[in-house]
Amino acid sequence: MSDDELREKLALWKVEPQIPPDFQRNVWQKIAVRESKPKLPLFGNWNISWLRTPAFATCVIVLGGLAGTGFGLIESSQANSRNWKSLEAKYVQSIDPYEHLRTL
Amino acid sequence: MSNPSTPTSISERFRPEHWLLFALIGALAAGVIAFYGCNFFATRDLREMAAAPNGGLEWLQREFHLSGGQFQKIEALQSAYAPVCNEMCRKIMEANSKLDRLVSENRGVTPELAAAIREAGLVQEECHQQMLAHIYQVSAQMNPADAQNYLRLMKSRVIQPALSSDTAVRATTE
């Protein structure tokens, strides 16, 4: 058989695969099922779908803000106490010459 | 045909690990901002007082609940006492430096050294008298309860530390 004859025979050969009517739907369905349950691969595939919610992120941010405020209040209380003591010392220095000379 | 797995909301565009990271970074940022903001505003008042030149008097006004009139009188007493205090400082420095020089120069108690010791003692005595007089004048401007607290505080911060030995005082107060 010559090359031209072979080429003609190959052109006549048409492949027509038979795809089931719901093939595409099934594929997407399987993908959707798999993606709807995100897993954390560590510690035995825990279901962490609740982590992708903005509500969770908002709660964590609010908690962080509250914690920062709490620590800020504690630190400011201690700073105010130190400042109050330094103001007392400042007054004592203003009336006691020995204390005034000691701090020069 | 629509794709059931096409994300329809922003929450589905990100992986759960990304949301967790965003939440942690956001919480950290919120915590830091809240901490420094709270600290700044809560300490601003006293920081400004500490930086002010008459911060000591403002402390006195708040600590002993002075009214406007009481504060003005005490401020006037403080202004009148300031040159006295400066003069005391000068005399103390002069007497102490002279005493220090003589102690270093001599190997025995010379009449000059004895005189310098007496002079330092006299300066100290004069300083205590002036200070006490001022403290009593200031306490006289206060309400009775605050005056008592003021005198107690001044005794512990000024008078008792100035005594050469406060063991006798401690024995009677403990």
Side-chain angles (χ1 to χ4, degrees):
Chain A
M1 188 182 289
S2 67
D3 287 342
D4 290 336
E5 287 175 352
L6 181 61
R7 202 175 292 116
E8 281 179 18
K9 278 199 180 291
L10 286 173
L12 290 173
W13 185 28
K14 293 188 188 308
V15 177
E16 294 180 2
Q18 298 295 320
I19 301 174
D22 58 348
F23 173 76
Q24 199 172 15
R25 187 172 60 81
N26 286 339
V27 168
W28 286 119
Q29 202 168 20
K30 285 180 185 175
I31 293 172
V33 166
R34 188 168 295 183
E35 285 188 349
S36 67
K37 295 180 182 175
K39 304 284 186 192
L40 192 63
L42 300 173
F43 308 112
N45 282 336
W46 286 2
N47 183 0
I48 56 170
S49 60
W50 54 277
L51 285 178
R52 62 197 266 170
T53 60
F56 167 75
T58 305
C59 284
V60 171
I61 291 170
V62 168
L63 281 175
L66 288 174
T69 302
F71 285 120
L73 286 174
I74 292 170
E75 173 61 26
S76 65
S77 173
Q78 292 175 349
N80 281 337
S81 182
R82 286 194 299 270
N83 281 335
W84 197 249
K85 288 287 179 193
S86 74
L87 284 166
E88 179 187 316
K90 197 172 178 180
Y91 174 74
V92 170
Q93 285 166 27
S94 71
I95 64 170
D96 184 357
Y98 285 98
E99 193 65 28
H100 183 72
L101 289 171
R102 199 172 293 129
T103 55
L104 282 179
Chain B
M1 156 177 177
S2 62
N3 181 355
S5 71
T6 300
T8 56
S9 70
I10 190 170
S11 66
E12 295 178 4
R13 291 187 188 274
F14 297 97
R15 294 167 60 187
E17 293 81 10
H18 292 164
W19 273 113
L20 185 59
L21 189 62
F22 293 154
L24 289 176
I25 291 173
L28 187 65
V32 168
I33 291 169
F35 176 81
Y36 283 105
C38 186
N39 201 18
F40 176 80
F41 288 108
T43 61
R44 185 170 55 176
D45 186 32
L46 284 190
R47 272 190 291 110
E48 287 174 357
M49 253 178 75
N54 62 341
L57 278 180
E58 283 192 42
W59 167 84
L60 190 76
Q61 183 177 23
R62 289 197 195 186
E63 177 72 11
F64 299 103
H65 317 106
L66 302 176
S67 66
Q70 289 172 331
F71 180 70
Q72 280 182 356
K73 288 178 186 172
I74 290 175
E75 204 173 18
L77 286 172
Q78 186 80 9
S79 298
Y81 176 72
V84 173
C85 189
N86 292 337
E87 178 62 15
M88 285 290 105
C89 285
R90 188 193 64 77
K91 286 183 179 179
I92 290 166
M93 282 176 65
E94 207 173 279
N96 285 351
S97 58
K98 182 179 176 184
L99 182 60
D100 184 67
R101 179 178 56 80
L102 288 172
V103 166
S104 301
E105 285 174 0
N106 291 284
R107 290 293 177 269
V109 181
T110 62
E112 197 183 1
L113 180 55
I117 293 171
R118 271 196 304 276
E119 188 183 336
L122 284 172
V123 167
Q124 193 177 37
E125 186 185 316
E126 185 186 355
C127 175
H128 287 161
Q129 284 180 5
Q130 297 282 0
M131 251 197 317
L132 261 179
H134 175 72
I135 288 170
Y136 283 140
Q137 285 174 347
V138 168
S139 69
Q141 306 303 322
M142 296 180 179
N143 301 331
D146 292 318
Q148 198 163 356
N149 293 335
Y150 173 76
L151 287 173
R152 191 181 306 122
L153 179 66
M154 289 299 109
K155 195 170 85 165
S156 68
R157 288 296 306 270
V158 176
I159 304 301
Q160 281 179 357
L163 296 177
S164 55
S165 170
D166 63 346
T167 52
V169 176
R170 207 179 284 170
T172 57
T173 54
E174 282 179 359

